[in-house]
Amino acid sequence: MTEETAAMTALRDVVTVRLPASSAYLSVLRTATAGLAVRLDFTIDEIEDLRIAVDEACAMLLPQAVPGTDLTCEFELTGEAMRIAVSVLTADRRLPSRDTFAWTVLSSLAGEVDATVGADDKVTVTLQKRRGAGAP
């Protein structure tokens, strides 16, 4: 293992936040997002972009969440990037539409965006933002 590989391995952290699938708890996720982005030395603008992106991903998913279930948000921090996967249990397994203004905003804020449906009827929106990706 090279020194660079060892440093990248040491910087990989995964944090999972699970809370009721209700917009009343979104401030918790925005705060967690900002706190974790600070660990990767994201700029203030990048941190704000991530906070808004997480909020937007939740806004896409919460309307179809099964009542009384949880929203799960997994943050993976690796060196220069943060990957965020927001998931909810749904009744109809409907993916967010990729041709909406909301999806365009999400993509511009986060960089890489995807949505998937798991075998367990959970719909997941995954965001990945690299530090300095928006810099000139």
Side-chain angles (χ1 to χ4, degrees):
M1 181 182 296
T2 67
E3 190 174 315
E4 182 178 319
T5 305
M8 289 300 289
T9 302
L11 291 176
R12 184 182 180 278
D13 288 326
V14 177
V15 175
T16 303
V17 177
R18 180 172 289 125
L19 37 85
S22 166
S23 60
Y25 296 95
L26 293 185
S27 63
V28 173
L29 286 182
R30 288 190 298 268
T31 301
T33 301
L36 293 170
V38 166
R39 291 199 56 201
L40 292 179
D41 293 325
F42 278 91
T43 66
I44 291 172
D45 288 339
E46 291 168 332
I47 292 168
E48 191 58 25
D49 286 351
L50 280 168
R51 286 171 40 99
I52 295 167
V54 165
D55 204 50
E56 192 65 42
C58 291
M60 290 177 172
L61 293 175
L62 286 177
Q64 62 177 324
V66 172
T69 60
D70 290 337
L71 179 138
T72 303
C73 190
E74 181 179 282
F75 300 89
E76 182 178 354
L77 302 113
T78 55
E80 301 287 318
M82 181 186 294
R83 185 183 76 54
I84 304 166
V86 182
S87 304
V88 295
L89 181 64
T90 66
D92 61 7
R93 301 172 48 95
R94 184 174 33 89
L95 288 173
S97 177
R98 295 172 187 252
D99 61 355
T100 62
F101 180 71
W103 188 270
T104 302
V105 169
L106 188 60
S107 297
S108 70
L109 292 171
E112 299 172 35
V113 182
D114 195 16
T116 57
V117 178
D120 56 0
D121 293 339
K122 282 190 177 179
V123 175
T124 302
V125 174
T126 305
L127 321 167
Q128 181 161 309
K129 185 161 185 80
R130 297 190 182 286
R131 187 177 61 208

